[in-house]
Amino acid sequence: MPAQYPFCAVVGSDDMTLALTLVAIDPLIGGVLVRGEKGTAKTTTVRGLAEVLPPVRAYDGDRFSIDPADPDAVSPDGPFGAVTPVVERPVRLVELPVGASDDRVTGSLKLDSALRDGRVELEPGLLARAHRGLLYVDEVNLLHDHLVDLLLDAAATGRVSIERDGVSAEHASRFVLIGTMNPEEGELRPQLLDRFGLTVEVAAPRDPALRVEVVRRRLAFDTDPEGFAGRWAAEQELLRTRLADAQGRVRDVVLDDETLTTIAEICAAFDVDGLRADLVTARTAAAHAAWQGRTQVTREDVRVAARLALPHRRRRNPFDEPGLDEDRLDDLLGSDEPDPGPDGPDDDGPGGDGGSDDSPPDGTPPETPPQESSESPDDERRPAPAGAGSVASAGEPSRARLLVVRGTGEGQSGRRSRARTAQGRVAGVRHDGEPTGRLHLPATIAAAAPHQLARRGLVDGRGLALDISDVRRAETVGQESNLVLLCVDASGSMAARRRMEQVKTAVLSLLLDAYRRRDKVALVTFRQHDAEIVLPPTGSVEVASRRLADLPAGGRTPLAEGLHRSAEVVRREALRDPSRRPLLVVVTDGRATSGPNALARAHHAARHVAAAGIQSVVVDCESGRFRLGLGVELATHLQAEHVPLGEVTADGLTGVVHAATAPREGVA
């Protein structure tokens, strides 16, 4: 087995190593989510953690690793008696691929044994291997929804239930969940985010000397992995011993009423959701005290715990920046200096300086104060002069109208358009010889029934005799995620402050809807004489919202260029992800004023987009008493659905319905 990069050799990621150390001391903390840009040693650090964890005891040959010291533990491989040998084995680090199948994750039942012999044989999955160990999901934000549901069930119950065609089995599965993600590639579902006890933000160090040390160690490891690991073996063993001592000490740590009250006051002051934050903070503070060699929790323990346990629980929507106001946290903890205690070291993590008072801030940018506006209501009707650029802020997003791609696709599981997916409602039976997919048991039995006499299965009492040719798979229909490409008009006709605020609010609502439906998003804007790809296709609506906030408006309207650039984005993305169907949302008033024959060129570009098979929606921003109807005309050329700007959000739709159903004046 190739040498693993030593955990003790990781530098520049003190918060990450400290958080991983604390969940190793008390797995009930609930795991760690590591957020950060690519190339910051997230995966290397997680893999190195397993090397320093104390071994666990298990029955020899038990694939489900139950604890011999737990009299209530039951293994599907059991029962085990007093004569069964007990062995020590290393803690497992099980990696869960984002594209894994359900059977690979939860395990599967051997169907032929169940049908022929009435005997349940369970093939362990990844959750069984992770029991009493670490379950690592790289790019956890890209995990399919059905796998997220499986993880949530296992994390909540500590057990895995396998149901397959009327036959069921279950086993214990308690693990430390560790996830790493790059926020630019998409956000995490709130339900799964809440299951992570701690979260840390990592970034490449800005200190040149520290960067040099990181590179020096990595080059040395790549040149001679065995030799490099050997030079760190003594420190690795010391860390392993210290972890084992802390695991034994954490049960003796005292959490008195004053400490619990302080934790409750902090959680209430930061307005976190639910009570899980209080529990996690308390457990983390106790684990930190045990790591420091103490049995009494201090203010510094609570401070470290709150800094790791609360930032991701304060987010109300995907546009909120994660982070914690540490000055406010210090005010809540009081001004007394923390007492580290005489019986414990001062260092926090394996590197010796993690979590110290002079640790770098969590990376949360300072809030930008709102800009005062002296514009009069007439500014809404007065466009900005050509060449000018003004920036308007957006209002609060609300529930958006559902926009879907027509037909049935075959893209990744999501929540927008109809598609043939691995999960969903059974809509038919297929017999294509493919080994994957849900088994359709009634159809399989029906296919095998006419052959039983020839096979002499039921005749000889051997049970149902099956052949591979009998297998029928269920054709399931669910929902897929799509590429939602927003093509936004930022020209002078949109630059009136009130109108641009409405446009940005509507686009923000569409982005929030895309986040909830697990879509990819992209943003193209057009103004002056050209169109710009502000945001290439990504899963991060947080990044899209930041780009939208800085979007200036003003100048002429190059509508044709915006449509051509949007078609180019769709074409390129189809090469990378051909199964993901696009939905083009054009946000404009339909005007075209850039260059000769601008409107004719725009309509020609629209017909080109329609001919390419790109399904579109036109969000018509035209307002006022006298309207030209150019948005409707554009939608006709695009063969697109036409939606007035006021009907994009739920609030707008409600207003339209109320206006349509209100009794007209003078009508009885």
Side-chain angles (χ1 to χ4, degrees):
M1 184 175 179
Q4 178 64 48
Y5 192 90
F7 187 74
C8 289
V10 175
V11 291
S13 301
D14 298 327
D15 278 352
M16 177 166 53
T17 55
L18 175 60
L20 293 173
T21 300
L22 296 180
V23 297
I25 293 171
D26 185 1
L28 292 179
I29 289 173
V32 179
L33 175 65
V34 184
R35 294 164 46 97
E37 58 198 17
K38 51 186 175 291
T40 48
K42 300 187 295 294
T43 301
T44 298
T45 307
V46 172
R47 289 175 177 167
L49 174 65
E51 298 288 324
V52 296
L53 294 181
V56 297
R57 293 169 59 82
Y59 289 111
D60 189 20
D62 181 16
R63 297 174 298 169
F64 298 86
S65 298
I66 63 171
D67 186 357
D70 184 358
D72 297 325
V74 178
S75 169
D77 284 348
F80 300 103
V83 298
T84 306
V86 175
V87 297
E88 280 193 349
R89 64 161 180 79
V91 171
R92 292 182 184 136
L93 173 67
V94 178
E95 299 193 28
L96 172 61
V98 294
S101 65
D102 290 9
D103 289 352
R104 181 76 178 107
V105 176
T106 62
S108 59
L109 299 172
K110 293 185 177 179
L111 187 63
D112 53 351
S113 299
L115 289 175
R116 292 175 180 170
D117 308 322
R119 179 166 47 89
V120 175
E121 286 191 27
L122 184 60
E123 188 68 30
L126 296 177
L127 294 181
R129 285 186 52 80
H131 181 48
R132 302 174 65 204
L134 310 174
L135 182 66
Y136 173 47
V137 188
D138 191 17
E139 306 295 349
V140 64
N141 49 327
L142 304 182
L143 201 63
H144 290 177
D145 277 356
H146 67 283
L147 296 183
V148 170
D149 294 337
L150 294 176
L151 286 184
L152 289 175
D153 288 342
T157 64
R159 303 195 67 81
V160 173
S161 296
I162 303 171
E163 302 286 342
R164 181 171 175 180
D165 305 307
V167 183
S168 63
E170 69 174 17
H171 61 82
S173 181
R174 296 191 179 277
F175 48 83
V176 174
L177 180 61
I178 301 175
T180 56
M181 60 176 282
N182 183 349
E184 293 187 358
E185 296 176 348
E187 285 301 320
L188 203 59
R189 272 177 55 180
Q191 296 91 335
L192 185 56
L193 181 64
D194 187 54
R195 283 292 171 184
F196 285 100
L198 310 179
T199 183
V200 292
E201 298 277 338
V202 295
R206 298 295 179 256
D207 181 4
L210 191 55
R211 295 173 74 100
V212 167
E213 181 61 24
V214 171
V215 173
R216 181 184 294 116
R217 293 187 184 186
R218 186 70 214 191
L219 291 175
F221 175 78
D222 291 341
T223 301
D224 182 11
E226 297 292 343
F228 185 84
R231 290 193 292 274
W232 286 90
E235 290 198 35
Q236 293 274 95
E237 185 59 35
L238 288 174
L239 177 58
R240 187 178 294 108
T241 302
R242 184 179 173 188
L243 274 171
D245 291 343
Q247 287 175 341
R249 187 182 300 112
V250 72
R251 293 187 293 268
D252 300 325
V253 173
V254 177
L255 281 164
D256 55 36
D257 289 344
E258 181 182 355
T259 300
L260 293 177
T261 301
T262 299
I263 291 172
E265 289 173 349
I266 291 172
C267 293
F270 282 110
D271 195 25
V272 298
D273 291 331
L275 292 173
R276 185 172 283 123
D278 303 62
L279 291 169
V280 171
T281 304
R283 290 187 181 279
T284 306
H288 189 264
W291 174 244
Q292 297 297 327
R294 291 183 270 101
T295 57
Q296 188 69 37
V297 174
T298 67
R299 284 190 179 90
E300 180 61 17
D301 297 326
V302 175
R303 183 183 188 277
V304 170
R307 194 165 55 83
L308 297 175
L310 300 186
H312 63 300
R313 303 181 192 279
R314 298 183 59 244
R315 305 185 75 187
R316 293 297 184 269
N317 63 66
F319 307 134
D320 293 341
E321 291 283 353
L324 199 69
D325 186 342
E326 295 197 31
D327 290 336
R328 186 182 181 194
L329 176 60
D330 290 336
D331 291 339
L332 292 169
L333 285 170
S335 58
D336 292 341
E337 290 293 326
D339 178 16
D343 55 346
D346 291 333
D347 58 311
D348 282 330
D353 56 355
S356 61
D357 285 338
D358 59 349
S359 59
D362 57 12
T364 305
E367 295 185 1
T368 302
Q371 299 296 319
E372 297 293 334
S373 175
S374 59
E375 296 183 5
S376 66
D378 291 337
D379 290 328
E380 179 179 351
R381 298 186 297 272
R382 185 171 64 248
S390 60
V391 178
S393 60
E396 285 295 321
S398 62
R399 183 171 57 87
R401 174 175 178 170
L402 176 59
L403 306 175
V404 300
V405 180
R406 297 183 298 274
T408 303
E410 295 182 349
Q412 294 185 9
S413 178
R415 297 182 178 181
R416 183 172 297 277
S417 305
R418 176 185 169 92
R420 287 180 286 272
T421 59
Q423 301 291 318
R425 176 177 56 85
V426 177
V429 178
R430 58 184 177 89
H431 180 215
D432 50 14
E434 288 291 330
T436 59
R438 190 194 308 178
L439 181 73
H440 197 296
L441 184 58
T444 300
I445 294 176
H451 306 289
Q452 295 308 300
L453 185 61
R455 296 173 185 171
R456 304 196 63 80
L458 296 175
V459 177
D460 293 343
R462 293 188 293 108
L464 187 66
L466 295 174
D467 185 79
I468 191 64
S469 62
D470 302 327
V471 174
R472 301 292 186 271
R473 303 286 179 182
E475 183 175 287
T476 52
V477 175
Q479 291 178 309
E480 67 177 357
S481 62
N482 299 106
L483 168 64
V484 178
L485 172 55
L486 297 161
C487 181
V488 181
D489 185 346
S491 64
S493 64
M494 308 288 289
R497 175 72 62 178
R498 177 60 180 161
R499 178 183 288 190
M500 204 58 199
E501 285 178 2
Q502 291 175 327
V503 168
K504 286 189 175 183
T505 302
V507 173
L508 208 58
S509 299
L510 291 171
L511 286 173
L512 182 60
D513 184 65
Y515 163 74
R516 290 169 175 163
R517 300 185 187 280
R518 318 306 294 166
D519 295 318
K520 269 189 173 182
V521 295
L523 182 61
V524 171
T525 63
F526 55 95
R527 62 185 291 263
Q528 295 286 40
H529 304 292
D530 201 3
E532 178 186 3
I533 303 174
V534 177
L535 181 70
T538 177
S540 177
V541 298
E542 180 184 347
V543 176
S545 67
R546 290 202 298 265
R547 303 286 174 86
L548 179 70
D550 298 332
L551 178 65
R556 294 186 175 274
T557 312
L559 177 56
E561 285 74 8
L563 294 174
H564 282 307
R565 186 59 58 89
S566 299
E568 177 186 343
V569 171
V570 170
R571 181 182 61 80
R572 289 181 179 177
E573 186 63 18
L575 297 176
R576 299 189 185 97
D577 192 355
S579 64
R580 190 184 297 270
R581 296 188 295 164
L583 179 65
L584 173 62
V585 181
V586 185
V587 185
T588 181
D589 56 8
R591 299 185 185 186
T593 60
S594 178
N597 302 317
L599 190 59
R601 289 192 300 107
H603 290 168
H604 176 76
R607 291 191 293 272
H608 172 75
V609 170
I614 302 172
Q615 294 193 35
S616 308
V617 175
V618 173
V619 176
D620 192 348
C621 302
E622 190 175 31
S623 60
R625 183 175 301 175
F626 301 103
R627 304 188 183 189
L628 301 177
L630 295 177
V632 177
E633 192 173 345
L634 176 63
T636 301
H637 290 287
L638 278 171
Q639 300 178 22
E641 179 183 359
H642 175 266
V643 179
L645 178 63
E647 297 183 26
V648 169
T649 63
D651 295 339
L653 286 172
T654 302
V656 171
V657 171
H658 286 173
T661 57
R664 284 175 288 179
E665 185 178 353
V667 178

